[in-house]
Amino acid sequence: MTAARDTWTIASAADAARARAGLARLVADTGAPALDRARFLSALGVRLRHAVDAGGAELTVTAGPDGRLGIALGGPEPWRHTLVRSGALPGPQDEPHSEALPDSQAAPLAEALPEDEPHAEALPGPQEAPLAEALLSADEDAAAVLTSLAETEELLRLHREELHQTNQGVLALHAELEAAALAQRDLLDAERAARAEAENARRLLTFLANASAVLHASLDHEDILRRLPELLVPEYARHVDVWLVDDERTPPGDRAAATVTAARTGRPQHAGPHPGQLPGVDDLPASALFPDRPLLCLPLGGRTVQGVLTLAAPGERFDPDTTVMLLELARRAGIALENARQYEQHRDVAEALQRAQLTDLPAVPGLDLAARYLPATHGLNIGGDWYDAFSQPDGSVLTVIGDVTGHGLRAAVIMGQLRTALRAYAVEGNGPARILTLLHRMLRHQQPELYATCAIARFTPGEPEVVWAAAGHPPAVARDPRGEVRVLDAKPGIMLGVPLPYEYEEHTVELPAGSVLALYTDGLVERRAAGIDVGIDRLARAMQVLGAAELAKLDAAADALLRPMLHDSEHDDDICLLLCRTTIG
């Protein structure tokens, strides 16, 4: 089959309308969708109107055997369009475009157009029925397009509304997220603040515990007063003043008014240019001594006010939490001061009692005596050690040294009882061993839970020998005139008071004129860092190096022995030393 072709002359608007109507029927027969037909015909109508306005043109329609439909519009603005078999027609384009048409839809055009060469002829005259039908068909297409557009608009409205709702949801979600973020930030701030408060409380409690341990570790009130400023300056106070109410060295008139008020009322006082509003603290006007610096005056003491701790603020004001800690520290410091004073009173009483029971050494022909008593440097360790020297009815001299277990007033009282009993047994003419046996028996029955050590040496004028006995006591050390030193390490008897019956033995040692015998308690030779044997060896060496000048005066020899023995100046127990030097009577 050859191509079918027809050419129409478009000279007027009527020609254009008839041509559009004819092509509308032709395109409608293809079964293309209304929207596609409307697009094609709209583009064709615009081209036809332009052709009429330009003075006319020829419209050529060609239907090929391959189903190709070609439209060509000549004139000043030529336009070509090609349609190929397809289920839909393309939109208007200025350049040729190919779309496929079904084979069954090419027949109507081929039958309507003659199969000869193209030629120009006038379009047939208007026929009302076909034209009306074409116009009605165009209206149907337009209605279909408008319906489609309405549906599209409705769909767009629905999408727009859905998008609006989505946007509203997103905005609400953003608002919720922002609110959640703000709430989380507030929670984090609150958590940080709580952690900071907890850390500050932990720091204050740690300081309070450590400071309390430092204060209560000492039983010397002067040491406590010295340590308070060291603990508080500069973190908690610019400077610290401690005033004891019974301190007559500084009259109240030289103190801040708030300090005197705190001592008189027993209530903490704050004095500053502005009220402190501190918990448990009264506010007073600024101090005349420190008009620009807040003062915090805290009573020292628990049951009674020992004094007042006055602190100058380290900054512009006192922190409330820190003030609570300082109040408790002042209370504990007052208790520590009260304990120290009670301890010192007990110590003074015990030391006075013990010193009152220490014997004035007798002046005996043929025997020089020197003694030293040193109380312990730590703790209430007064009362256990004693020395004694006295003459017996037969003219001999007994030298005694002893140590009661335990410390304090009870030990001092028991020591007095032993000293009195020992003198009573000696007056009856008993020797050292018998005296110790009787003391052991007495202590077992009267003080079953208390023990003591003791050593007794008996010097007889004119005799070079010394008789001695010991009950669990450190061995005596002897130095002969040639400077040779030996330790009297014969096995001593058991301690006095041990719940066993026991008979003590006597020993004899030769001490020619010019010899020195040292009796001592374990406080002289025993230290925590070393055993007692090390101390005994050190004492023996110290006696060996005594010079002639020191031996000439026994008190000087006693001091010379104490110096190397107490080089550390610290000892936890009492010390007694009794030196006995034999001379030519």
Side-chain angles (χ1 to χ4, degrees):
M1 177 184 293
T2 61
R5 182 178 302 177
D6 196 1
T7 301
W8 296 332
T9 300
I10 306 300
S12 64
D15 294 339
R18 285 193 294 271
R20 183 184 182 284
L23 286 176
R25 288 195 305 272
L26 184 61
V27 174
D29 291 339
T30 64
L35 183 59
D36 294 337
R37 295 198 306 270
R39 286 175 176 171
F40 171 73
L41 293 175
S42 296
L44 179 62
V46 171
R47 297 293 180 178
L48 291 173
R49 177 172 292 279
H50 289 174
V52 171
D53 292 342
E58 290 185 352
L59 176 63
T60 303
V61 179
T62 304
D66 55 357
R68 214 176 264 277
L69 180 64
I71 297 98
L73 182 64
E77 296 181 6
W79 177 66
R80 296 174 59 85
H81 201 82
T82 302
L83 299 175
V84 188
R85 297 183 185 92
S86 177
L89 294 176
Q93 298 182 11
D94 292 340
E95 297 299 327
H97 180 74
S98 296
E99 290 289 346
L101 288 174
D103 293 339
S104 60
Q105 295 175 356
L109 181 61
E111 295 175 355
L113 298 176
E115 297 182 6
D116 52 10
E117 295 298 326
H119 61 280
E121 63 178 15
L123 291 171
Q127 298 179 4
E128 295 181 358
L131 184 58
E133 182 180 352
L135 292 175
L136 290 175
S137 298
D139 290 340
E140 290 178 357
D141 292 341
V145 172
L146 292 176
T147 300
S148 177
L149 290 176
E151 293 175 352
T152 303
E153 289 178 352
E154 178 65 17
L155 185 60
L156 289 175
R157 186 187 65 79
L158 293 176
H159 287 323
R160 188 180 296 111
E161 182 177 354
E162 181 180 1
L163 180 60
H164 176 71
Q165 293 177 355
T166 301
N167 290 338
Q168 293 297 321
V170 170
L171 292 176
L173 179 60
H174 285 175
E176 293 179 0
L177 292 176
E178 184 176 2
L182 291 175
Q184 185 178 16
R185 185 163 60 248
D186 293 340
L187 289 175
L188 290 176
D189 292 341
E191 181 182 3
R192 280 193 291 267
R195 287 184 178 180
E197 292 179 0
E199 176 62 23
N200 184 56
R202 185 198 64 79
R203 181 179 60 84
L204 293 176
L205 288 175
T206 301
F207 171 79
L208 178 62
N210 294 337
S212 299
V214 169
L215 296 177
H216 286 278
S218 176
L219 289 174
D220 183 349
H221 80 280
E222 292 292 342
D223 183 51
I224 295 173
L225 296 178
R226 183 177 64 255
R227 294 191 181 195
L228 273 172
E230 296 174 356
L231 292 170
L232 296 172
V233 177
E235 183 173 0
Y236 298 104
R238 174 170 290 190
H239 66 82
V240 172
D241 177 70
V242 183
W243 175 44
L244 300 181
V245 293
D246 59 354
D247 186 0
E248 298 178 355
R249 294 173 296 181
T250 306
D254 295 339
R255 303 286 172 176
T259 301
V260 179
T261 303
R264 185 180 68 252
T265 63
R267 286 190 52 81
Q269 304 293 323
H270 174 271
H274 304 288
Q277 298 180 348
L278 301 172
V281 180
D282 298 336
D283 278 314
L284 294 176
S287 171
L289 300 177
F290 302 94
D292 299 329
R293 176 69 56 178
L295 296 181
L296 187 60
C297 305
L298 307 176
L300 293 169
R303 295 181 296 274
T304 59
V305 176
Q306 302 292 316
V308 178
L309 175 65
T310 301
L311 303 93
E316 297 297 326
R317 61 187 301 274
F318 285 98
D319 177 70
D321 293 338
T322 302
T323 301
V324 174
M325 183 275 293
L326 293 174
L327 287 170
E328 178 60 20
L329 180 63
R331 187 187 71 84
R332 298 186 183 186
I335 294 175
L337 287 171
E338 186 175 359
N339 292 338
R341 292 198 171 190
Q342 290 180 356
Y343 160 77
E344 290 171 353
Q345 291 174 358
H346 287 301
R347 180 187 177 95
D348 293 343
V349 171
E351 186 173 352
L353 176 61
Q354 184 173 18
R355 289 189 180 278
Q357 297 186 91
L358 296 177
T359 304
D360 290 334
L361 297 176
V364 180
L367 184 66
D368 290 340
L369 298 174
R372 293 291 183 271
Y373 166 73
L374 300 176
T377 56
H378 294 294
L380 190 59
N381 292 330
I382 303 298
D385 297 12
W386 93 94
Y387 65 86
D388 199 359
F390 55 90
S391 299
Q392 286 189 288
D394 61 359
S396 63
V397 178
L398 287 184
T399 57
V400 181
I401 197 153
D403 185 3
V404 178
T405 59
H407 302 93
L409 292 177
R410 183 166 181 256
V413 170
I414 298 302
M415 180 268 290
Q417 293 176 357
L418 288 175
R419 174 180 175 274
T420 302
L422 189 149
R423 284 199 170 213
Y425 296 144
V427 169
E428 296 176 356
N430 294 305
R434 182 59 181 169
I435 293 173
L436 291 178
T437 300
L438 295 174
L439 287 176
H440 174 61
R441 186 182 305 168
M442 181 199 77
L443 200 59
R444 282 177 55 201
H445 291 288
Q446 294 186 1
Q447 300 290 340
E449 296 181 358
L450 195 65
Y451 310 107
T453 66
C454 184
I456 303 175
R458 184 177 64 187
F459 295 86
T460 302
E463 295 184 4
E465 295 180 345
V466 173
V467 178
W468 64 275
H473 201 80
V477 180
R479 182 184 190 274
D480 64 21
R482 297 187 302 272
E484 295 181 1
V485 176
R486 56 177 169 165
V487 177
L488 306 184
D489 54 358
K491 184 177 180 180
I494 64 175
M495 293 177 66
L496 300 175
V498 174
L500 292 173
Y502 191 81
E503 297 286 338
Y504 293 89
E505 299 179 358
E506 292 183 350
H507 307 275
T508 302
V509 60
E510 184 175 352
L511 286 180
S515 299
V516 178
L517 181 68
L519 302 175
Y520 56 92
T521 57
D522 57 359
L524 180 67
V525 294
E526 188 173 22
R527 295 291 182 272
R528 292 181 181 179
I532 191 172
D533 293 337
V534 176
I536 295 174
D537 292 340
R538 189 165 66 245
L539 176 61
R541 290 194 300 271
M543 289 188 65
Q544 190 174 23
V545 298
L546 286 175
E550 295 167 334
L551 290 173
K553 190 175 182 180
L554 207 55
D555 283 331
D559 294 335
L561 288 177
L562 289 178
R563 281 194 293 270
M565 300 303 296
L566 303 179
H567 64 279
D568 53 1
S569 74
E570 299 289 338
H571 48 95
D572 299 327
D573 202 356
D574 297 352
I575 292 175
C576 273
L577 173 65
L578 178 59
L579 294 182
C580 311
R581 184 181 61 189
T582 58
T583 61
I584 299 176

